[in-house]
Every structure is written in structure tokens, then in C-alpha cells.
Amino acid sequence: MKYYSVLLVLGLSIQPFTSSAQKVPTEPKSPTNGQRLDEIFTYIDKLYVDPVNDKELMDAAIVSMLEKLDPHTVYIPKDEVEAANVAIDGSFVGIGVRFQILKDTLMVVETIVGGPSEKLGIRAGDKIVAIDGQSVAGIGLKNNQVREKLLGEAGTKVRVDIMRKALKKPINYVITRDKVPVNSVDCAYMVSPKIGYLKLTSFSRSSHDEIKKGIDKLKAQGMESLVLDLQGNGGGLLYAAQLIADEFLSDNKLIVYSEGRAQPRQDLNAGRSGSWEKGKVVVLIDDNSASASEILSGAIQDWDRGLIVGRRSYGKGLVQRPIDLSDGSQMRLTIARYFTPSGRFIQRSYENIDDYKNEYMRRFMHGEFSHIDSIKLPDSLKFETRVTKRPVYGGGGIMPDFFVPIDTSEITDLYRNTVQNGAFTSFPLTYVDKNRDELHKKYETEDQFIANFNIDKKLMDEFFAYVKKENKDFEFKEDQYKISKNIMELRLKATIANDLFGIEAFYKIYNQKNEILQKAVQLLQSNEYDKQKLALN
């Protein structure tokens, strides 16, 4: 009894001995993780020294939690979901214009073909001065504010007041919002009499149909070899990559397989008759080609279906599933790893998240963009292609069959400064707005413009005067201009062409400096492609 009393005094407790017939109390249950989180938020709400924004706090907690999993599991707040899904959905609901805010003026750069604005007669160069009766000129408007005002539910209406050059009074339009397509194929044109070029920027719901239309267009123009450009393509939908790969692979060939802790192995195979199963194929990749781009290029490489040209790709081998949450927000949760047909897992290590995020700079500083010898891959990551048994590697992205070093010989501080100041975007827009009618009269087609428009000294002087006016700290350096002259003039001409004729005109000009594309063309025009003895399919 004395011993028992001492334990009570010390703040401890004991249970008297009981027979097996008596009920023994169980330990209290530990709170679940969800209960613990609720407790913490409750105490913060009741006791924290300052008022807090509950929503912001919860969002921060979710983001921090998901960051502990992997770099690609992410949380998207409700007000950002629609914008985040535009590239995947291949469309959005709005009025159908591409705009730019120039000197506090909202300018229409382009009306999207088939969109509501084009149908009403709104033109490139029009200035939107009011939306639903509220002035938007000279008020410091931001891009996200414009989107909030112009996007909305399909079938709803928005009134815009537009000032058009040569007209003294604004034109009033009432536009019915509708679904507007977002193209993932920027262009499809012939780079030579027998070589077609396709630029794919993402993998969306519409990408497969766009690719088929592009291939059909190029075949009708005499294409015998295809260059598929995936440079800068960060990926998108897995099934879009499967459908596009099926256009190049015959029979029932494996395209990719995936598996995860809660997901058994799933094989995605070719199965339909593709539109380019026999012709030559070269795929262009770089360090920003990721995810679905790596699935497509990995399948073509593993089946010896074509050549991969460029620089090592990003290295993302994880599959995310979009999960809609009850409040309208969304989580993209990693559910599986994917593997190329040879069994390669190309995800680079994310053990250190900071290192993962800074991988581009690490690769650049290590010399990987300039020298292929800088890339060291262990034999443990070595695999073989399915047909010719060529060596290929997993881990850290897709290694190209032909490496193309980055060309920095024309890059100077003068060029970088004009790019960073946005001058290559804003000046051409101003120039075209001022000279649009005259330019269209002189160059009726983009081919006429490409062949005959020249950037002369007068235009370059006007350009640098504009840059200086916009940025008083800008300093022109003649010696650097001599080095960067060609690339600066080419970029100006390409952007002016874009504002006049569209994105395809831009690529037709700017691709003259695309060293990876030039290597692909050289491989196809020489017998180097045939030397690889690739499978026809």
C-alpha cells in the first residue's frame, strides 16, 4: 500500500492485479494524422498571437507536405486550376484573342482562327480600351486581370470597346464567350523539297489529331522524311504520347509501361495503322524535353524506328494523376513510374530537391551542353534497343543518338540585355502596329516577306533607340553588336513575321539558327541516316 501511494505522489499510475475474468482497460488510441492536423489548426485559430488567413495556411501546409514526396506531385489552388489545365485540355473558354499589354495599353496581337473575336471581325492591332464599361487603358492592368475579365463560362457575354487605327471613335462589340482551341502543333512545313518539319509544343487532348493533320499536309507536299521537333516540350498527357507514337510504330509494339505501389504493371502498345510507319524519322530533343516527350522519343529510339538528335532530355519518369478535390482545387499525384520498351527508367535522382531544381545550371556549368564527354553514365544504366541491339542508357533522361553542342558564339551581354528587357517582343509589336497596312501591301504572303524583307541599319537604329528609351541604363556596345548582329537581326525579322503572319512564319525564319534542326537535315540529306541501319518498322 505504501509503494502504491508513492507512485501516485510521483504522478504515475498503476492498475491493481486482476484475474483473467476481469476486463483489462486498453491503451487510448493515438490520434490519426488528420486529427493531429485539425488540432494544430484549431490551436492556431484560437491562440495564435495575430490573426491568420486559414486558407493560405492550409494551402502552405498542403504544398509543404506534397514537396516531401517528389518534385512532380503538386497542389493547384482552385483559382489556378483552369489556367493550369489549358495546355492539357487543348482549349479554353474565352473571346479568342492573343493579347499583350504594351505601355499600359491592351493590344490584340492575334485573333485565334475559329474563335468568337475572329468571327466578329476583331483584328490584330486593335486596342481594347474598356471591358464591360470599365476603362482598362492607363490603369496599370496586369495579365491575370485581363484573363479574369475576358475568360468565363461558355455562352456568357462580354462587351469590349475597341480603338482601331484611322477611326476616331471606339467600336463596341458584344462577344459571346466560347471554347477556343489551343494548338499544340505550332507549325508544319517543308524545310527542303523532301523533308517535312513538325513542331509539337505539348501533349494535349487535341495533339494526336493535330499531328495527323500535319503529317497528311506534309505528305501531300512530297515529304519523304520527317523531323519531329520536341525541343522545349515539357510533356502532358500520357495517352496522347501513346497515340502519337502509334502513328510511327507498327503492329502491337510496346510503347511504354508503368507500375507503382498501388498500380500493377500497365502496358501501352501500338495497335492502329499509323500515318508514318515507313518513312524516315528524326526526333529533336533538348534539356527541356520532358515526360511525354521522353516517352515518345524513348519508344522511337528503343525500336530503332528513327534517330534522336540534340542534347540529353530532362529526365522525368514519373506518372501523375489529376485528382479533383472537394473545394475545386486539384492535386496531381505521382502514382507510377514509367519505363521505355527496353526497360529504361529515365527519371533523374530527386534525393536532394534543391539540386533537382537547379539541374539545368549544374549541367550547364559542368559543360554537358557543350561536350558530350562531360556526361558519364555507368554500365548499370546500359540497355539495348529492341532490334539492332544498339546501346542506350536510362537514368537522367534520353541520350540522343547524335549530340549537338549548344552554340553560344553569337551570345553577348548586349544580346542578353535586349532579350531580358523584352525588347524583341515589344518593339516588333510597336513597329508592326505602326506599319501594318504598308507591310501587308508590300508583302502579301509570308513567303514574300521571308524572301524579301531585310533588317537594315535604319531599322536597327530605330530598335536600339527604342531600347534606350525604355531602359535608360541600357548601353549600346558596337563590338558586341558585331558579334550578335546576325542573331539579333534574325530574331527581329522572325518576331515581326510572327506579328504579321503567325507562328509558322516565325519558325520558318528563326529555325535558320536552330542548330539541332540543321544537324537533322544534314543527317537525312547525307547517307548518315541510312548507315544506322534502322528498322523500317
Side-chain angles (χ1 to χ4, degrees):
M1 188 67 180
K2 182 177 179 182
Y3 180 61
Y4 182 54
S5 299
V6 170
L7 290 175
L8 289 175
V9 170
L10 292 174
L12 304 176
S13 64
I14 62 170
Q15 295 293 336
F17 175 80
T18 58
S19 69
S20 58
Q22 292 178 299
K23 185 177 181 181
V24 180
T26 58
E27 290 290 326
K29 289 184 178 180
S30 298
T32 65
N33 290 327
Q35 289 171 329
R36 282 198 297 156
L37 197 59
D38 286 342
E39 281 184 282
I40 290 170
F41 272 92
T42 298
Y43 282 122
I44 290 173
D45 184 54
K46 289 182 177 180
L47 302 176
Y48 187 66
V49 60
D50 294 318
V52 295
N53 184 315
D54 291 346
K55 182 182 181 304
E56 287 184 1
L57 200 62
M58 176 60 79
D59 285 354
I62 294 171
V63 168
S64 296
M65 176 172 60
L66 298 185
E67 283 180 346
K68 295 292 183 182
L69 300 177
D70 65 79
H72 300 292
T73 291
V74 295
Y75 170 74
I76 305 172
K78 178 182 177 180
D79 56 355
E80 297 177 19
V81 169
E82 185 174 356
N85 287 335
V86 164
I88 292 176
D89 292 338
S91 65
F92 66 95
V93 174
I95 68 169
V97 298
R98 185 165 66 88
F99 67 86
Q100 184 169 329
I101 299 172
L102 185 64
K103 295 183 179 179
D104 229 11
T105 300
L106 180 57
M107 181 181 289
V108 176
V109 177
E110 180 186 12
T111 55
I112 298 173
V113 176
S117 292
E118 188 214 28
K119 293 175 181 176
L120 287 176
I122 294 173
R123 308 173 188 172
D126 285 348
K127 297 177 177 66
I128 300 177
V129 295
I131 301 174
D132 284 333
Q134 294 185 334
S135 174
V136 293
I139 63 170
L141 200 66
K142 305 297 182 185
N143 283 340
N144 63 325
Q145 294 174 305
V146 176
R147 293 188 182 95
E148 287 175 6
K149 293 176 181 294
L150 297 182
L151 300 180
E153 297 292 328
T156 59
K157 299 180 184 298
V158 59
R159 174 185 167 180
V160 298
D161 296 347
I162 282 176
M163 289 299 300
R164 181 169 295 163
K165 200 172 183 179
L167 296 180
K168 294 181 179 180
K169 293 183 178 180
I171 311 170
N172 307 124
Y173 289 97
V174 176
I175 308 172
T176 302
R177 297 182 179 96
D178 201 354
K179 184 173 286 189
V180 179
V182 177
N183 292 331
S184 55
V185 172
D186 270 354
C187 58
Y189 68 92
M190 299 296 290
V191 294
S192 79
K194 296 182 179 180
I195 301 174
Y197 170 85
L198 269 171
K199 174 68 177 177
L200 181 67
T201 59
S202 65
F203 289 78
S204 70
R205 300 186 199 284
S206 63
S207 295
H208 177 232
D209 287 340
E210 292 180 57
I211 285 285
K212 287 179 66 177
K213 288 177 183 177
I215 291 175
D216 289 344
K217 170 187 171 181
L218 296 174
K219 285 165 69 174
Q221 295 177 23
M223 177 176 68
E224 295 180 5
S225 302
L226 172 64
V227 176
L228 178 61
D229 192 348
L230 301 181
Q231 292 176 90
N233 186 324
L237 296 174
L238 177 62
Y239 84 85
Q242 177 195 7
L243 291 174
I244 293 170
D246 202 354
E247 294 301 317
F248 302 98
L249 298 174
S250 62
D251 303 324
N252 195 39
K253 288 184 173 67
L254 177 66
I255 293 170
V256 66
Y257 69 91
S258 63
E259 55 187 347
R261 178 184 62 86
Q263 177 181 302
R265 173 167 169 160
Q266 180 180 8
D267 291 0
L268 298 181
N269 299 310
R272 312 186 209 186
S273 177
S275 56
W276 197 251
E277 292 185 351
K278 298 295 183 183
K280 296 177 182 178
V281 182
V282 177
V283 179
L284 313 184
I285 62 171
D286 63 9
D287 44 281
N288 288 312
S289 305
S291 189
S293 289
E294 294 170 304
I295 290 172
L296 176 55
S297 54
I300 287 176
Q301 188 178 52
D302 281 6
W303 283 109
D304 296 287
R305 175 64 187 89
L307 294 178
I308 312 299
V309 175
R311 293 183 284 275
R312 182 161 65 142
S313 65
Y314 184 88
K316 179 181 180 292
L318 303 174
V319 181
Q320 283 73 47
R321 174 180 292 169
I323 299 173
D324 294 326
L325 304 178
S326 57
D327 69 340
S329 60
Q330 189 179 85
M331 175 174 61
R332 293 182 181 174
L333 182 68
T334 298
I335 60 167
R337 297 177 176 87
Y338 74 74
F339 301 82
T340 72
S342 66
R344 288 185 285 168
F345 177 53
I346 54 87
Q347 174 68 46
R348 54 189 170 89
S349 172
Y350 51 85
E351 186 174 343
N352 186 310
I353 296 296
D354 289 335
D355 288 348
Y356 188 86
K357 292 178 179 178
N358 296 320
E359 177 74 358
Y360 178 92
M361 186 55 65
R362 187 200 67 76
R363 288 183 178 186
F364 181 81
M365 296 302 294
H366 192 249
E368 181 177 316
F369 297 160
S370 303
H371 307 285
I372 193 170
D373 293 341
S374 300
I375 306 171
K376 306 295 183 184
L377 295 172
D379 286 342
S380 60
L381 298 176
K382 189 175 181 179
F383 294 79
E384 290 183 340
T385 60
R386 299 290 293 266
V387 181
T388 67
K389 308 302 179 185
R390 292 182 298 145
V392 288
Y393 290 85
I398 300 291
M399 280 293 297
D401 301 305
F402 286 87
F403 174 80
V404 180
I406 191 169
D407 183 6
T408 59
S409 60
E410 295 181 276
I411 307 302
T412 61
D413 288 340
L414 178 73
Y415 176 75
R416 290 191 190 95
N417 289 338
T418 50
V419 170
Q420 291 168 0
N421 290 332
F424 282 112
T425 300
S426 57
F427 173 79
L429 192 59
T430 303
Y431 175 80
V432 169
D433 184 50
K434 185 168 63 175
N435 302 284
R436 188 182 303 274
D437 292 340
E438 179 185 343
L439 288 167
H440 273 305
K441 286 178 183 177
K442 193 171 182 179
Y443 310 103
E444 294 182 1
T445 67
E446 64 183 51
D447 289 337
Q448 289 178 358
F449 178 89
I450 293 168
N452 300 306
F453 181 85
N454 294 311
I455 303 287
D456 55 18
K457 184 178 184 303
K458 179 184 176 183
L459 184 54
M460 288 308 300
D461 288 343
E462 187 179 343
F463 172 69
F464 286 119
Y466 174 90
V467 177
K468 181 66 177 177
K469 183 180 177 181
E470 296 298 309
N471 180 13
K472 294 179 180 179
D473 295 329
F474 175 79
E475 183 180 355
F476 176 79
K477 295 183 178 180
E478 183 69 35
D479 58 333
Q480 293 188 16
Y481 174 60
K482 288 179 180 178
I483 296 171
S484 298
K485 182 177 185 293
N486 288 337
I487 192 171
M488 295 183 82
E489 291 181 0
L490 187 76
R491 185 159 185 162
L492 266 183
K493 181 175 178 178
T495 312
I496 291 170
N498 179 50
D499 292 336
L500 276 173
F501 299 104
I503 191 67
E504 184 163 288
F506 172 89
Y507 279 108
K508 285 182 177 180
I509 296 169
Y510 199 68
N511 272 343
Q512 295 171 33
K513 284 289 184 182
N514 186 340
E515 65 272 14
I516 296 178
L517 171 59
Q518 302 310 318
K519 178 64 176 179
V521 171
Q522 181 261 317
L523 289 169
L524 288 166
Q525 290 181 335
S526 68
N527 63 352
E528 192 62 39
Y529 186 99
D530 297 320
K531 280 183 181 179
Q532 303 303 311
K533 297 181 180 178
L534 300 171
L536 286 177
N537 217 315

